[in-house]
Amino acid sequence: MSLAGVSCLVTGAGGFLGQRIVRLLLEEKEALAEIRLLDKAFSEEALGEFGKFQGKTEVKILEGDIRDVTFLHRACQGTSLVIHTASIIDTLGLIEKQLLWEVNVTGTQLLLEACVRYNIQHFIYTSTIEVTGPNCKGDPIFNGDEDTAYESMSKFPYAQSKRLAEDFVLKADGQVLKDGGTLMTCALRSMYIFGEGCPFLLGHLDKCLLNRNVYLRFSRKEALVNPVYVGNIAWAHVQAARALQDPQKAKHIRGQFYYISDDTPHMSYADLNYELTRDLGFGIEPQLPMPLTMLYYFSLLLEIVSFLLRPFVRYIPSTNRHLVTLLNTPFTFSYRKARNDFGYVPRYTWEEAKQSTGVLSSSTCHSPDSQT
C-alpha cells in the first residue's frame, strides 16, 4: 500500500529523527498530497534540507507549541495521518518535571483529541526503549521481544512521561471519530538512535577531542545494546504508515507497540561511539574510570549534593544512578515482530550507517569550532 494522496502531519519535524522521516516521505515514488512539518522552531539547516525537494508533495512549515490547542487544531485540520515524534528527551534531569509532562504527556493527549475532532484516522507514536527499562536493578535482556516479561520500575521522569504517553496512544486505538470513523494507532519503541547529526555522538566527540582523541569509557564493554541507525528507524515509520493504509495489515498492528532495531552489531554505547569514528584515528579508554559499584554510589553522592544545594543554586550532576544503570545494563531486542506484522526490514546496512555517520564526524572534528 502506498501513501499516494495522503495528507500527513509530522510533529518534531525539525528534530534529528523528524527530519529524516520527512526526507523519506518526500522521496516516496507516489507523492503524498501534503506534508505539514510541525515544530517549535526550525533551524536554517533543516529548512534548507526541506527546500531541496521540488516534487509534487506540498510542504507546509508550522512553527508553534504543541501545547497550544488553537495552533494544534489548525495544524491537524484536513490531515489523515499523524506521525508524532515531538518530545523532550532528558537523561540527566535537566528539564523541570512539569515541562516534561506538559510536552510529552499533555501534548500527546491534545494531539489525540485533535485527531478525533478532525477525523484523522491514522496515528503513529515514536516511543523509546526506556519505556521498558532497564530497571533500577539493572536486570538484563538479551534479544528480547514484545512478549518478554520485564519488571520496569524506573521512576526517572523522562521514562515515566514516555510510558504514560505511549499508554494514551495505544488505548486511543478504536476511538470513534467525529465523522463516525475509527482511530487507528501504534507505537514504535526505538533503540538508542545514531547517525548523521546525532547530538549525543557529537557531544561525546567533543569530549574525546579534549581528551587527546581518546573516548572516555562511560559504559563497560559487556553492556551490550543494539542501537538503531536514524535512517532505519525513520524507514520503520514510513513502513508502519503504509501498513495502516492497508485494511488487512492495519488490523494486525492497531493498538500495538513494536521494538525497532536493525542489524547494527551488539556493543556497548561507548564502543558504538568508538566504532563509528575509529577510522578517524580515535581511541577509547579500556575500562570505566572506577568500578561500576563505586561509580553508582559516586553518582548517588552527586545527586545528594544536588538536592542539598537546591534551595540555593541549581546544580545538575554530570551523571546519576539512572544514567549509570542505563549505560551499563545489557539490553537488546529483536525487530522480528515489526518484520512479521508490517514488513519492516532495515533499509541501510551497518556498513552504510557507519560510513554515513563517520563522514559527518570527520567534517565536525575538522571544523574550526571544534579545534582544541
Side-chain angles (χ1 to χ4, degrees):
M1 201 74 177
S2 77
L3 297 174
V6 168
S7 180
C8 176
L9 171 67
V10 181
T11 72
F16 174 47
L17 172 60
Q19 286 187 50
R20 196 57 177 264
I21 292 173
V22 171
R23 190 197 310 177
L24 290 178
L25 290 173
L26 290 170
E27 290 174 355
E28 283 283 277
K29 289 182 180 179
E30 297 182 75
L32 284 74
E34 177 188 38
I35 304 178
R36 299 180 187 181
L37 314 184
L38 185 154
D39 214 319
K40 193 167 186 179
F42 290 89
S43 67
E44 290 298 323
E45 181 183 0
L47 294 175
E49 279 293 316
F50 301 144
K52 292 178 183 178
F53 293 88
Q54 301 295 329
K56 297 178 181 179
T57 302
E58 182 180 359
V59 176
K60 288 185 179 178
I61 304 295
L62 303 172
E63 286 193 341
D65 197 316
I66 197 171
R67 298 169 294 174
D68 182 337
V69 176
T70 302
F71 166 73
L72 204 57
H73 284 194
R74 187 170 66 251
C76 288
Q77 196 166 5
T79 62
S80 57
L81 165 67
V82 169
I83 299 178
H84 180 34
T85 78
S87 70
I88 295 177
I89 301 174
D90 181 31
T91 57
L92 280 175
L94 298 171
I95 309 299
E96 293 291 343
K97 186 173 180 179
Q98 181 179 347
L99 177 59
L100 205 61
W101 239 251
E102 287 177 356
V103 173
N104 292 0
V105 181
T106 305
T108 301
Q109 288 178 291
L110 292 174
L111 192 55
L112 288 166
E113 290 169 4
C115 286
V116 172
R117 179 168 181 171
Y118 293 107
N119 306 307
I120 301 173
Q121 196 171 13
H122 303 129
F123 190 107
I124 299 170
Y125 178 65
T126 306
S127 190
T128 170
I129 187 62
E130 287 201 51
V131 166
T132 306
N135 60 28
C136 58
K137 294 189 294 184
D139 293 327
I141 290 181
F142 297 95
N143 203 33
D145 59 26
E146 288 77 2
D147 295 323
T148 300
Y150 191 77
E151 187 180 5
S152 180
M153 301 175 290
S154 176
K155 295 183 179 179
F156 201 69
Y158 170 66
Q160 287 184 325
S161 71
K162 293 295 286 186
R163 186 183 305 120
L164 190 55
E166 183 191 274
D167 284 344
F168 281 125
V169 169
L170 299 183
K171 288 176 181 176
D173 182 78
Q175 279 195 19
V176 178
L177 306 178
K178 197 169 182 181
D179 67 354
T182 303
L183 177 62
M184 304 179 193
T185 70
C186 68
L188 306 184
R189 290 186 183 176
S190 171
M191 308 295 113
Y192 166 81
I193 307 173
F194 71 94
E196 309 92 300
C198 174
F200 299 110
L201 174 59
L202 295 178
H204 287 296
L205 186 59
D206 286 342
K207 293 177 183 177
C208 174
L209 292 168
L210 292 172
N211 195 41
R212 298 174 183 257
N213 293 349
V214 177
Y215 280 106
L216 303 172
R217 178 167 287 284
F218 52 85
S219 55
R220 59 197 178 103
K221 200 171 185 67
E222 302 79 13
L224 302 181
V225 293
N226 55 335
V228 62
Y229 176 56
V230 63
N232 287 328
I233 180 64
W235 182 236
H237 283 75
V238 174
Q239 291 183 302
R242 288 178 181 172
L244 283 175
Q245 309 297 314
D246 184 329
Q248 291 303 313
K249 290 183 178 179
K251 65 183 181 182
H252 294 293
I253 70 175
R254 287 182 49 187
Q256 301 290 313
F257 70 85
Y258 294 91
Y259 292 115
I260 305 297
S261 56
D262 57 17
D263 298 324
T264 298
H266 295 190
M267 65 187 88
S268 75
Y269 289 113
D271 287 299
L272 172 71
N273 289 346
Y274 170 60
E275 285 295 328
L276 291 172
T277 55
R278 65 186 300 182
D279 291 343
L280 303 175
F282 295 115
I284 185 170
E285 293 178 343
Q287 58 189 14
L288 294 172
M290 61 183 77
L292 183 57
T293 301
M294 189 179 297
L295 183 59
Y296 183 87
Y297 285 107
F298 173 71
S299 299
L300 172 60
L301 177 61
L302 293 181
E303 290 179 52
I304 293 172
V305 171
S306 175
F307 176 77
L308 293 176
L309 290 177
R310 192 171 300 169
F312 313 103
V313 63
R314 189 160 188 251
Y315 163 63
I316 303 297
S318 58
T319 185
N320 54 54
R321 288 169 294 166
H322 169 76
L323 191 58
V324 170
T325 302
L326 177 70
L327 297 177
N328 287 281
T329 301
F331 222 59
T332 62
F333 289 84
S334 165
Y335 61 79
R336 183 172 52 251
K337 184 180 179 183
R339 181 187 61 206
N340 293 340
D341 285 6
F342 62 88
Y344 165 69
V345 176
R347 181 170 178 171
Y348 306 93
T349 66
W350 159 240
E351 287 303 321
E352 289 171 327
K354 183 178 177 180
Q355 183 177 11
S356 296
T357 307
V359 167
L360 178 112
S361 300
S362 176
S363 64
T364 301
C365 69
H366 289 98
S367 67
D369 292 339
S370 60
Q371 293 295 317
T372 57

